[in-house]
Amino acid sequence: EGLRANVNKLIAALAVEFRLLRAERSLIVVVPLAVGLSVLDVAFFTVVPEVSYSATYASITTRALILFLSGMIVFYTGETMHRDRDARIEPVLWATPASNNVFLLSKFLGTVLMMLFLVVLVGMTAIVTQFLRGHTPVDVSAYLITGAVILGPGIIFITGASIALNILLRNKYLAYVVCVGIGAGLFYLYSQGYN
């Protein structure tokens, strides 16, 4: 036992999570839909640069992507948290010599890394769209800043909150209802001018 053994267990559990996420059939539809709808505004409509074209493209795709990320995080976190119970292999996990934090951290990291991959994919698509529309020069740092400052912390916080709600409520559908309710309340408050 020790740090090295726990890291090895975490890596093994994370590899299993990635295999299970790769086998998720809904990703075939959801990922292209999220990329397409996030880049839709900049691909087909007039883009008026506020600071630069890259900053405008990055901010428009970020606004569109944040809603998809929130929904996907809540859904995939709920599914990964309750998948073991639904597949009736939970007693097998209890019998393994790994601690609970290894399983929870692997689910957290798997979801966060999948969402970061989606952010990178949308950013690359927006960069290609900006280049093809002739809105040069392309400033990659604008995309990196919006991804690192806005989307990165949001992904981490929403994933952590969703895991915590799934642990506390112990019911996947109740956690979905609470997450959607919190999200709707926040969008209502934001539309009223609150930050």
Side-chain angles (χ1 to χ4, degrees), residues 65-77 115 158:
L65 183 60
I66 199 147
L67 184 62
F68 273 104
L69 286 174
S70 301
M72 288 175 68
I73 288 170
V74 167
F75 174 73
Y76 285 113
T77 301
M115 294 306 136
I158 295 171

Side-chain angles (χ1 to χ4, degrees), residues 26-37:
S26 64
L27 287 175
I28 297 170
V29 175
V30 173
V31 169
L33 184 67
V35 172
L37 290 177

